[in-house]
Amino acid sequence: MEMDENQTKNPSFFLQFLAKFHAGYFRISMSLCGQALLWKILKQPIQNENSLRKILRLLPNSAFLVLWSLTLLILVSLSLIYILRCFFHFKLVKFEFLHRVGVNYLFAPWISWLLLLQSSPFKSFPYEILMWVFLIPIVILDVKIYGQWFIKGKRFLSTVANPTSQLSVIGNLAGARTLAVMGWRETSLCMFSLGMSHYLVLFVTLYQRLAGSNSLPAILRPVFFLFFAVPSMASLAWSSITKRFDTFSKILFFVSVFLFVSLVSRPMLFRKCMRKFTVAWWSYSFPLSLLALACNEYAKEVGVEAAHVCALLLALVSLFVSLFLMILTVLRTNSMIPMSSPEISSDSSGAEP
């Protein structure tokens, strides 16, 4: 009888797992979707391709199909788990939405789906229908979050802004690129304008390092890589809108390169967060994939051998980082989702995402 009472008091392993799961785990799907898009574009033939590009084209198509299928499986699994979390732990989802860090990762699932849609190897597919299905939640989140920044609300940008806030901008830019690829140029330009206008305000706010934007826990410092992810994504989106990697795209690419060099030249900044493996480590992979994609577009435009070499090196670095993180994730699953407590505190729901 006492054993039955204890079993009713203690939540099941499944409910504990759902309680600990949060939108921050969609970092994994964003990274893999970025890889799928990167290697799809690298395998496409270009004019005046060099020997390095010819080597890439020798890779079997089945390898890319396996990567895309694995990415789809992981993204579907994460999405289903989060849907179950919404059903069984709606209060925790609401808390996540109200948290200044956790709310930004609500863009991550839709960014992942948009990138996966762009990298799809299938020709006959309801792309436009799915595109709007994944875009509408981003617009809804824009209205909710951006509206609180400049209208009367509880959360002001100066107090809630942090590096993860750039995910909202990436969501708009990913949507703009998807719309441009599908042929919706005017709507794509609208999404691009919305994202960039808020990015300028957000970047200045983060650059000033105000009290709210300078209080990110050390465990989340890998998200600093989002600083060069935004201009990289912006250059890709703008080149898709204009159908060429023009001067403005190059400016955005050069900004992303500068921010990338600024971060990697300060390894001590990431010393504390590297002591223990967490899901935050997946924040390294996705920005590297975007930077490699932007460098690849720049190399195709200028046609310089050195640019092609840099693009290939960045692609390989992003690939090795993703593989390393996948291996660590498999070997250290317990570190990814600690099961000691079924409740998500402010540190695990907000600081941990």
Side-chain angles (χ1 to χ4, degrees):
M1 190 68 178
E2 294 179 356
M3 183 180 298
D4 293 337
E5 292 180 356
N6 291 332
Q7 288 178 351
T8 56
K9 291 181 180 179
N10 295 329
S12 64
F13 175 85
F14 176 70
L15 293 179
Q16 291 186 42
F17 173 78
L18 291 180
K20 284 296 181 180
F21 190 86
H22 50 74
Y25 288 94
F26 282 96
R27 290 185 183 97
I28 301 173
S29 60
M30 281 200 308
S31 300
L32 296 178
C33 290
Q35 282 293 307
L37 181 60
L38 172 62
W39 291 101
K40 177 186 178 180
I41 293 178
L42 287 178
K43 280 185 63 62
Q44 294 176 350
I46 61 174
Q47 294 181 349
N48 302 322
E49 62 181 2
N50 57 2
S51 57
L52 294 176
R53 294 296 296 244
K54 292 179 180 179
I55 294 175
L56 289 177
R57 293 186 61 190
L58 295 177
L59 295 174
N61 293 328
S62 58
F64 169 73
L65 186 60
V66 169
L67 173 61
W68 191 87
S69 302
L70 176 64
T71 303
L72 175 62
L73 177 62
I74 293 175
L75 181 53
V76 169
S77 301
L78 292 175
S79 300
L80 290 176
I81 293 172
Y82 199 80
I83 291 174
L84 291 174
R85 170 181 165 86
C86 294
F87 181 76
F88 288 101
H89 295 289
F90 183 75
K91 290 184 178 180
L92 294 179
V93 175
K94 183 179 179 181
F95 174 78
E96 191 174 357
F97 179 78
L98 296 175
H99 196 278
R100 66 187 188 91
V101 175
V103 65
N104 298 306
Y105 279 100
L106 296 179
F107 286 90
W110 313 111
I111 295 172
S112 302
W113 282 112
L114 288 173
L115 294 177
L116 189 69
L117 192 65
Q118 295 177 40
S119 62
S120 174
F122 305 107
K123 295 182 179 179
S124 57
F125 211 68
Y127 290 109
E128 291 196 4
I129 297 176
L130 292 175
M131 176 188 68
W132 287 110
V133 170
F134 304 145
L135 273 175
I136 291 175
I138 292 179
V139 176
I140 294 174
L141 287 170
D142 284 345
V143 173
K144 179 64 176 177
I145 296 176
Y146 291 162
Q148 290 186 340
W149 288 0
F150 65 92
I151 310 177
K152 187 177 181 180
K154 296 180 180 180
R155 291 181 290 179
F156 298 96
L157 180 61
S158 59
T159 58
V160 301
N162 60 86
T164 63
S165 302
Q166 297 173 104
L167 282 171
S168 61
V169 179
I170 293 177
N172 285 275
L173 297 176
R177 188 179 190 277
T178 307
L179 286 163
V181 172
M182 301 297 176
W184 294 70
R185 187 178 184 278
E186 294 302 317
T187 313
S188 173
L189 190 60
C190 175
M191 290 291 290
F192 182 86
S193 303
L194 178 64
M196 290 304 294
S197 61
H198 287 94
Y199 172 64
L200 293 176
V201 178
L202 178 61
F203 183 79
V204 172
T205 304
L206 294 174
Y207 196 84
Q208 291 176 336
R209 301 181 67 180
L210 300 175
S213 61
N214 197 30
S215 58
L216 199 68
I219 194 175
L220 285 182
R221 285 182 181 173
V223 303
F224 279 34
F225 270 46
L226 291 174
F227 275 107
F228 65 84
V230 176
S232 298
M233 188 73 246
S235 66
L236 294 170
W238 185 251
S239 64
S240 298
I241 294 173
T242 59
K243 304 301 181 184
R244 62 185 298 265
F245 206 81
D246 60 7
T247 303
F248 185 56
S249 297
K250 292 178 182 178
I251 292 174
L252 292 169
F253 169 66
F254 292 145
V255 171
S256 64
V257 172
F258 169 76
L259 293 174
F260 170 70
V261 174
S262 299
L263 285 171
V264 298
S265 62
R266 293 170 173 81
M268 298 302 292
L269 178 66
F270 306 96
R271 183 182 61 179
K272 291 183 179 180
C273 65
M274 298 302 292
R275 293 175 180 174
K276 181 181 179 181
F277 175 65
T278 64
V279 70
W281 285 25
W282 278 95
S283 299
Y284 292 123
S285 177
F286 175 66
L288 288 173
S289 299
L290 293 183
L291 183 61
L293 279 166
C295 188
N296 176 69
E297 295 299 318
Y298 174 77
K300 288 194 297 183
E301 177 66 23
V302 299
V304 179
E305 186 76 17
H308 285 285
V309 173
C310 290
L312 180 59
L313 288 177
L314 285 171
L316 291 176
V317 169
S318 67
L319 175 63
F320 290 144
V321 170
S322 298
L323 290 175
F324 176 71
L325 291 173
M326 289 179 67
I327 294 172
L328 277 181
T329 301
V330 173
L331 295 178
R332 302 186 180 182
T333 307
N334 293 333
S335 299
M336 294 283 289
I337 305 181
M339 304 303 298
S340 58
S341 174
E343 296 182 356
I344 290 187
S345 63
S346 59
D347 291 334
S348 60
S349 176
E352 183 62 18

